[in-house]
Amino acid sequence: MKNSSCKTIGIIKRQYLNDIKKEVFRKSIHICSAFLPFLLNYLKWPVLIALGLAIIAYSIAELLRLKGITIPLISDVTAAAARKRDENKFVLGPVTLALGIFISALLWEPLPASIGIYALAFGDGLASLSGKLFGKVQIPLTQGKTAVGSLTCFAAIFTSSFIASGNSYVALVVASVGMFIELMPIKDFDNIIIPIVLGGIAQHLLP
């Protein structure tokens, strides 16, 4: 009985570590998107074209993967980042991430668009990771979101928005709305909603 219990604990620990590794890998991609506002300021249309082509290429690779045809590198990255809920499904995360950035850059002026993209990169990116690592208190009706994750989301968005805009009021409003969106159980679609909505709020509020 003791050996069986130890084996069970070992399996649970391995599963937890595997989940953390996947989360770190996935959210590192989120955080890397923080470099895009800099590129968009100087090479807006080449970057947008590259994002559009990346969405198309990834979507084709995913459809082929579901049919048992793997594409080198793309399929490997997808497998490394996929959550358990994504098994045997089209992994939407990379598509919604790129789409959110693409639409935000098209709709808003450079600074508001940057604020929205930074919120996605740091707020959403760090919230999930901190929630997985340190979250103990879950928030009801949010499908497992934690208080630690939400506070991390608020702090990350406020900090990045304030650094980008120098306006504490804008940063406070953007961070509050961003935290609320992150709490919503909308899975990967927050990648689209966060940069578009927060970029729009920033554009409306900035002088």
Side-chain angles (χ1 to χ4, degrees), residues 98-132:
L99 267 178
I101 294 168
F102 184 92
I103 297 170
S104 183
L106 275 181
L107 288 177
W108 312 127
E109 295 174 3
L111 179 54
S114 296
I115 289 172
I117 295 168
Y118 290 143
L120 176 62
F122 297 116
D124 187 49
L126 295 175
S128 179
L129 189 57
S130 64
K132 285 270 187 186

Side-chain angles (χ1 to χ4, degrees), residues 56-69 71 90-91:
I56 294 169
Y58 173 82
S59 298
I60 293 170
E62 268 298 89
L63 291 171
L64 290 173
R65 183 182 67 83
L66 291 175
K67 292 182 177 181
I69 304 169
I71 305 298
F90 188 105
V91 181

Side-chain angles (χ1 to χ4, degrees), residues 8 15-16 35 39 53-55 74 79 91 140 147 162 174 200:
T8 302
Q15 288 176 338
Y16 174 75
F35 292 105
L39 295 175
L53 292 174
I55 291 169
I74 297 177
V91 181
F162 181 72
V174 167

Side-chain angles (χ1 to χ4, degrees), residues 22 25 58 61-62 65 70-82:
K22 283 181 177 287
F25 181 73
Y58 173 82
E62 268 298 89
R65 183 182 67 83
T70 58
I71 305 298
L73 186 61
I74 297 177
S75 298
D76 293 337
V77 169
T78 302

Side-chain angles (χ1 to χ4, degrees), residues 7-24:
K7 284 180 181 178
T8 302
I9 292 170
I11 290 169
I12 293 170
K13 282 184 177 179
R14 283 195 296 273
Q15 288 176 338
Y16 174 75
L17 289 173
N18 187 51
D19 286 345
I20 294 299
K21 285 178 183 177
K22 283 181 177 287
E23 199 67 27
V24 169

Side-chain angles (χ1 to χ4, degrees), residues 81-156:
R83 293 183 174 106
K84 192 166 186 179
R85 74 183 190 205
D86 295 323
E87 287 179 2
N88 303 315
K89 295 178 183 177
F90 188 105
V91 181
L92 273 175
V95 173
T96 56
L97 179 70
L99 267 178
I101 294 168
F102 184 92
I103 297 170
S104 183
L106 275 181
L107 288 177
W108 312 127
E109 295 174 3
L111 179 54
S114 296
I115 289 172
I117 295 168
Y118 290 143
L120 176 62
F122 297 116
D124 187 49
L126 295 175
S128 179
L129 189 57
S130 64
K132 285 270 187 186
L133 288 171
F134 309 112
K136 302 295 182 186
V137 180
Q138 293 190 352
I139 301 170
L141 307 177
T142 62
Q143 294 185 3
K145 302 292 179 72
T146 65
V148 168
S150 294
L151 291 173
T152 301
C153 178
F154 178 87

